[in-house]
Amino acid sequence: MDKKSLRILFTVGPEDVIDAYKHWVKGEDAPSQVSVPYSAQFYEVCQKLNAYGYVIAQRNDKDLIQDGRFIVEHRPVPLPKASGIVYHFRQIWYGLHLLVSAIRFRADIAIASTGTTYWFVFSLFSWLGIKVIPSVHCTLWYKYLPQRPIDKLILTLSRNFFASDCQAIMAVSHDISQQISQLTAKRHQPILEFFPTFRRCDFNSLNPPSESRSPFSILFAGRIEENKGLFDLLEIAKRFAKQGIKDINFHICGTGSVLEPLRLAAKESGVDAFFICHGYCTKPQMREYFNRSHVVVVPTRKNFIEGFNRVVCESILSGRPVVTSSVCPALSYMGDAVFEVPPNDTKAYGDALLELYENKELYERKRQACLEVQEQFYDQTKSWGFALESIINAACYEKEAKTSYMLSNIRQ
């Protein structure tokens, strides 16, 4: 496998990879994300290796651009609202469609992201001579809920992929690594863990939290979905209102399927003046909301398969303590900067927020702890792109070593 002619396919979820590419070409980061997009890191690795790159993202806005060594495509998912057996057939069909694209592209390597198809489908890529590198961004199963029979079947079918049919594995958290190890009885391919990557310049301009603490501002940023715990936050806001606490504000940033129901419920409960749903926010807007905030809350529920949660990193880099539970794998990297509560425990979340609001000494201790764990998220040697480049270089070296060994034997 000659690096100069490498052809690398990258399958991703709903990221706007075309926008990320257009900004990358100009030496910029896409304004839609606070962290450095994985697709931008992919373009960078391809450029370093002088490789051809093909990115396929799951997007409703069908589009395709070809530019020099890159093809970047937005590909709609058929039957987006499919459920039951139809959903499972759709996942397999989409994976086979990706395989056809990989063959037509003459891909040497395929980077497979979580959710694009079932992991066992990528074994077909390997059997056809395409080296596969899974990029695992979510845990393989719910951490605190029992597995359904269909989930067990899918995991069983995927065991060999992680054990022998992939080149190496990239995982965004230790929780994921542990599950892969459990699934394969510790007989898996090498695992490289990585972190979401951030630019120091995006956080250097942020001010420390306001010392006045009135209003005390609590920030949520992410998808507005029921299993992200938004209605738990609404219950907490209603509780505070009943207790007569008038100087705690909730700022909800993001969009999703329950945004409007959440807004309506806040209005009907009479808390919409301090439980404010802002909807989609650009990178500059998010910077401003972090600037105003004192605490960030990540109340993800047990029925959401979390991978890392970049908002926890953003909070830490902003110097704001985080209230969350062990449903969020990022918690284990944050030390004392996190106020941990039991999963799905609305009262405990409310109590933690109140304690940070009332106890200035505790709050300051948590805030200082943020500064102690920030550096790891600026370290390029812990980035997704660095892990990917390391695996590709190892694969190329392995191929070159085998070729040299064969030639040596022929000469003898």
Side-chain angles (χ1 to χ4, degrees), residues 90 139 159 214 258 311 353 386 392:
R90 186 204 73 187
T139 52
R159 184 181 295 130
S214 184
V258 299
V311 173
L353 293 170
F386 186 88
I392 292 174

Side-chain angles (χ1 to χ4, degrees), residues 392-405:
I392 292 174
N393 282 331
C396 291
Y397 176 79
E398 177 186 316
K399 179 70 173 180
E400 290 165 4
K402 286 180 180 177
T403 302
S404 297
Y405 178 75

Side-chain angles (χ1 to χ4, degrees), residues 291-305:
N291 226 1
R292 296 181 194 176
S293 69
H294 292 88
V295 172
V296 173
V297 60
V298 182
T300 309
R301 296 183 65 81
K302 292 178 182 178
N303 60 335
F304 183 86
I305 295 181

